[in-house]
Amino acid sequence: MTIKDAKAYDSWKAFSGPNLGYVIGQYDLFQTNPEEVDPELKNFFEIAGPPSLDATVGAALTNSTVQSAGEVLPMKKIMSAVKLAENIRTYGHLAANIYPLKDTPLNTEQIEFEKFGLTEADLRKIPADLICPQAPASVKDGYEAIEYLKQLYTQTIAFEFHHVSDVEEHEWLNEMVESRQMFPTLTKEKKAALLKRLSEVEGFEKFLHRTFVGQKRFSIEGVDPLVPMLDEMISETVQHGTSNVNIAMAHRGRLNVLAHILGKPYEMIFSEFQHSPNKDLVPSEGSIGVTFGWTGDVKYHLGLDRQVTKESTKKVRVTLANNPSHLEVVGPVVEGYSRAAQEDRTQKGYPQQDVSKSLAVLIHGDAAFPGEGIVPETLNLSGLKGYQVGGTIHIIANNRIGFTTESEDSRSTRYASDMAKGFEVPVVHVNADDPEACLAAVHLAVLYREKYKKDFLIDLIGYRRFGHNEMDEPLVTQPQTYALVHKHPTQKELYAKQLIEAGEITEQEAKALAEQADAKLLEAYNKVSGNKPEEEFELDPPATIANGLPKISTAVSTEELVEINEQLVKWPEGFTPNKKLGKILQRRLDSFGENGKIDWAHAETLAFASILKDGTPIRLTGQDSERGTFAQRNIVLHDSVTGQTYSPLHAIESANASFAVHNSPLTETAVLAFEYGYNVFAPETLVLWEGQFGDFANTAQVIFDQFIAAGRAKWGQKSGLVMLLPHGYEGQGPEHSSARLERFLQLAAENNWTVANLSSAAQYFHILRRQAKILEKEEVRPLVIMSPKSMLRNQVMASAPAEFSYDEFQTFIETKTLGQNPKSVERIVFATGKLAVELRDKAATQEDTDWLQIISLEEIYPFPFEGIQEALKKYSKLKEIVWVQEEPKNMGAWTFVEPRLNAAAPKGLTVSYIGRKRRSSPSEGDALVHKQEQNRIIAQALTRNLEGEK
């Protein structure tokens, strides 16, 4: 029953059991701090007032009493009992048996009935269904109901749902626990299979420990049920129609998950320990791909893609994402995988999303979850229309320590999971020593995600049997903890003992399971034990990558562009765009007339439309991408009367693919990681991420460093992601000037990406179309564009329509109005991007410029060495080659291009530098000082050197 329905007849009568207790608790909060109460409940309280003494609240209340067996009980006692029951639901986790080592004091203070002025006799006078409507028939009265709740909420699985403000969700969660629907009955066969899995998990770790002594593996031991939990999760989600399960995890337990969830052969893992990896060991049946790059990565960072068949008819693709040592950054990458797997991009308009197609599973460390800022960034994506994936299941593999740091030194909260409560994510804490409870937690998580399409978190509390890695000695820093660990039976041993004592399995059968697991490991090891370490390693990229991009035609006929252009300035009947904006967009119709020009944003829209016509989907995101940070794009229009939105790119008649554009949250790291993941999983899609300002990319540096720049060399992971980074010095201060071009060039090698700084709108058009055409080729690579700010609408950067119809992307451009007599040229000025435009523009106002040529370097990496070398040959009287930039000398492109230009220069010439001197800050903070410096640089570059001519 909804609150609205309740108000229709008798407000407080709508609530009973856990729902009643929750609402009473919220009313108490409403009285002290109403702003913290859910708006719907707040409105209800304002209308309904406090619970009245004659409210029946779902049970047999008569005025201020309850009648039971002829006795009466004051209403105050009734309300105390209801609040006690809710306290058990809220605080039962504090008294729960969720710590395997039993080294944490339990707190029962909040759930003792004496604290509420109640006695056993009082409670026995209260009907059981007033306390717990879901209690089984064997529970006869309020006292037994309270004891039943205590047993449920303080066992080896504990619950935190009190922060979930939606009343229906809250009631459903409590009902699942109290009706025991979340605890499926396990058959004898299921229990035997669970023990077998635990035997395989433990046997694998012990075999590695004794066979490869002292080698790092970051074992799973202490949270062993993680593997059967993933088994269960995959099995259940497949039954709900999921065809993709995408997993993110750090190194702890990764080898075990690779072996037992992804099916990576033991032989391959053993070969990697022996430094003799063999690609012939990759199984052909069912395998999509083991990740290989040419420089590689350590074994506990590698991922895997595998097709798994469940119950003979249903298939699921399981992906474990490659992950570097930045433990949590892979989380949003996997969210991007999952969104890509959920969307149909074959039709125009926004992609059609079906969240049942894919599940994201993020496995966190207990120190990293609260410690790394990307976690709340990623949680914040969960409800946003451009990023939500219909609910992610989170598991904290909680070994209660971070490297050697205790929890009290690594977080300010009681639980590692507490941050998730701010996003109203339900939390279940479960003792890793109880594998059946672990499966129950998974069952609840899957059901909740299926029903509410929201995130769910399981805090799997265990321990770490060895040090951070197997070479560490944990007794040095945690002597008391490891004294307990060394005495503590393994989770497989505990479960085997439980089943034997219950008569579910014999001791001989349990022993046989362990022996079978060991035999399989030994057999695999014997197959590769004689392999010698590889003496020669191929560390060069494949020829298709090393040879660079093929020649690609990117021109679009004028007729086709005109047709597209006319559709871009139409909107539905009755739609009223902003009057001023409408006029600006209508002017684009004149761009194809005589002397017409197409500016940067217009060129971008035409490129997008033509790419969609070619059947390539597009996804564009950034903090202001719909309008454009500089009000230049306006790809989503807003009705000035109704506020409704409309994108002209959704109505292009010839479009054969989807177009998605989303304003992103004020986040760089998680959003860039998400877009990278989306692109990796949907390689046919042109995915663009746009920084609000280029320097915002600083915040996402780990994604550039460890995924985008190096992912293919390490893991063989292809990406065609486009990054638009507004860059240029306009006197706005140091933080809005530089996108740190030098950092991208420093990371440039092995044709790992393209770094461009363009000088015309047509060049932008062609490079976008070129990128779209290479997406599914072996030569594909990411594209980093230093995009303009002040130049976006400046006509000096605009291009004539003809440049779109016959040209292609040019890696460098010689100024056509200069150098018409090559033998007269004495100085060649090289520059890039905005400054190249300003130099050309200024030179056009000067007389007697026969001595000068300006060459704009459009593609800085890969450096067009041969083309530049050939171009310089025709300037036979050349005396000077100058590199000019607006960035300080220790920044920008100078240190990258200087040795390359020197190598390309004619014999006897060296390249000199004009620009700002070395600085620690990217630019001046004062606009007048900036202007003075900028004028000096341009004047110096365009002033003829007459020394020695007299």
Side-chain angles (χ1 to χ4, degrees), residues 184-223:
T185 302
L186 300 186
T187 64
K188 183 177 179 179
E189 292 73 22
K190 179 82 171 181
K191 292 178 181 180
L194 178 53
L195 179 59
K196 179 183 179 183
R197 196 52 143 175
L198 291 172
S199 299
E200 292 169 343
V201 170
E202 181 181 302
F204 175 77
E205 298 290 357
K206 287 187 172 180
F207 187 88
L208 293 179
H209 192 69
R210 65 177 179 264
T211 306
F212 304 104
V213 178
Q215 289 205 43
K216 294 180 182 179
R217 71 179 192 275
F218 300 100
S219 83
I220 202 171
E221 292 161 282
V223 288

Side-chain angles (χ1 to χ4, degrees), residues 730-881:
E730 274 100 14
Q732 295 186 28
E735 308 314 329
H736 281 171
S737 295
S738 178
R740 295 292 190 175
L741 171 60
E742 64 277 1
R743 292 183 182 167
F744 298 97
L745 295 174
Q746 184 184 40
L747 291 167
E750 302 177 309
N751 284 336
N752 63 329
W753 54 22
T754 297
V755 181
N757 195 10
L758 312 176
S759 66
S760 77
Q763 281 283 88
Y764 184 42
F765 174 88
H766 288 297
I767 202 170
L768 286 177
R769 286 188 49 78
R770 184 182 77 169
Q771 190 70 8
K773 286 178 176 287
I774 67 170
L775 286 173
E776 296 189 85
K777 295 181 180 292
E778 278 300 306
E779 297 90 341
V780 67
R781 60 195 183 204
L783 171 61
V784 180
I785 297 181
M786 300 287 115
S787 58
K789 296 179 288 183
S790 64
M791 292 282 173
L792 285 168
R793 285 180 294 276
N794 195 321
Q795 290 301 295
V796 299
M797 198 173 235
S799 302
E803 295 180 60
F804 298 80
S805 301
Y806 65 81
D807 275 351
E808 60 185 25
F809 179 72
Q810 301 172 68
T811 56
F812 64 95
I813 297 176
E814 299 173 80
T815 305
K816 294 178 181 178
T817 55
L818 298 173
Q820 293 176 347
N821 181 6
K823 292 183 179 180
S824 300
V825 173
E826 298 175 359
R827 174 187 286 182
I828 291 182
V829 172
F830 279 92
T832 187
K834 165 180 168 286
L835 191 59
V837 176
E838 291 178 332
L839 288 165
R840 285 196 309 236
D841 195 38
K842 184 67 175 178
T845 67
Q846 297 183 346
E847 297 180 356
D848 185 24
T849 54
D850 287 351
W851 58 276
L852 177 68
Q853 174 60 283
I854 299 172
I855 298 180
S856 172
L857 183 59
E858 304 284 299
E859 181 179 280
I860 309 172
Y861 183 80
F863 187 79
F865 180 85
E866 292 180 0
I868 287 176
Q869 189 177 47
E870 186 63 30
L872 293 178
K873 288 179 180 178
K874 63 177 174 282
Y875 301 105
S876 56
K877 304 294 184 182
L878 193 60
K879 296 179 180 179
E880 293 180 284
I881 298 177

Side-chain angles (χ1 to χ4, degrees), residues 104-123:
T104 301
L106 303 183
N107 180 357
T108 63
E109 184 178 358
Q110 301 273 15
I111 62 172
E112 298 298 340
F113 56 76
E114 293 86 354
K115 292 286 183 181
F116 289 80
L118 296 167
T119 65
E120 179 180 339
D122 292 335
L123 291 170

Side-chain angles (χ1 to χ4, degrees), residues 47 115 133 219 254 293 312 320 354 368-369 386 449 451 454 487 529 552 618 744 757 767 791 803 906:
I47 295 172
K115 292 286 183 181
S219 83
R254 190 178 186 88
S312 75
L320 176 64
D354 179 355
F369 189 83
R449 193 253 180 188
K451 185 173 181 64
K454 292 183 178 180
K487 297 175 187 176
S529 61
I552 296 172
I618 298 173
F744 298 97
N757 195 10
I767 202 170
M791 292 282 173
E803 295 180 60

Side-chain angles (χ1 to χ4, degrees), residues 9 12 43 122 159 194 242 247 320 393 403 453 483 489 533 538 552 565 599 608 770 792 794 810 844 866-867 874 931:
Y9 71 99
W12 282 90
N43 183 51
D122 292 335
F159 309 92
L194 178 53
T242 298
I247 305 171
L320 176 64
I393 296 180
F403 208 151
K453 310 296 187 287
E538 181 58 60
I552 296 172
N565 193 51
D599 65 20
F608 286 166
R770 184 182 77 169
L792 285 168
N794 195 321
Q810 301 172 68
E866 292 180 0
K874 63 177 174 282
K931 187 175 182 180

Side-chain angles (χ1 to χ4, degrees), residues 403-416:
F403 208 151
T404 65
T405 303
E406 300 279 10
S407 297
E408 59 263 26
D409 294 321
S410 69
R411 66 172 185 261
S412 298
T413 57
R414 175 184 297 274
Y415 297 116

Side-chain angles (χ1 to χ4, degrees), residues 50-61:
S52 60
L53 292 180
D54 60 352
T56 61
V57 289
L61 299 183

